């Protein structure tokens, strides 16, 4: 599922930033990781909420 991204050693500071600059790549990875974390938290909360309703 993960695709390989070739990252340049130096950033070219182009506008708009290219997809190979290290800072852009790191930001994108962080954004994806946070999104995945949020999805997992929502799923866990939904599951816990479902168990509470069944218990009543």
């Amino acid at each position: 599922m993960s695709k390989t991204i070739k990252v340049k050693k130096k950033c070219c500071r182009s506008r708009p930033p290219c997809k190979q600059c290290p800072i852009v790549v790191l930001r994108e990875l962080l954004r994806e990781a946070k999104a995945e974390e949020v999805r997992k938290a929502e799923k866990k909360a939904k599951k816990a909420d479902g168990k509470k309703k069944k218990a009543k």
Side-chain angles (χ1 to χ4, degrees):
M1 184 169 208
S2 65
K3 53 187 173 184
T4 305
I5 302 169
K6 286 192 174 186
V7 180
K8 293 188 258 180
K9 289 184 180 181
K10 275 189 160 183
C11 184
C12 60
R13 298 173 195 243
S14 62
R15 293 285 168 210
C18 66
K19 300 292 181 188
Q20 294 178 332
C21 291
I23 294 169
V24 176
V25 172
L26 288 174
R27 270 195 214 132
E28 195 65 35
L29 289 173
L30 279 173
R31 198 173 294 139
E32 288 173 8
K34 284 183 182 178
E36 184 67 29
E37 197 174 299
V38 167
R39 273 187 247 133
K40 283 184 180 179
E42 287 174 348
K43 189 175 180 181
K44 201 175 205 180
K46 189 175 180 182
K47 194 173 185 180
D49 192 37
K51 285 184 179 179
K52 284 181 185 176
K53 286 183 180 178
K54 285 183 181 179
K56 287 184 179 182

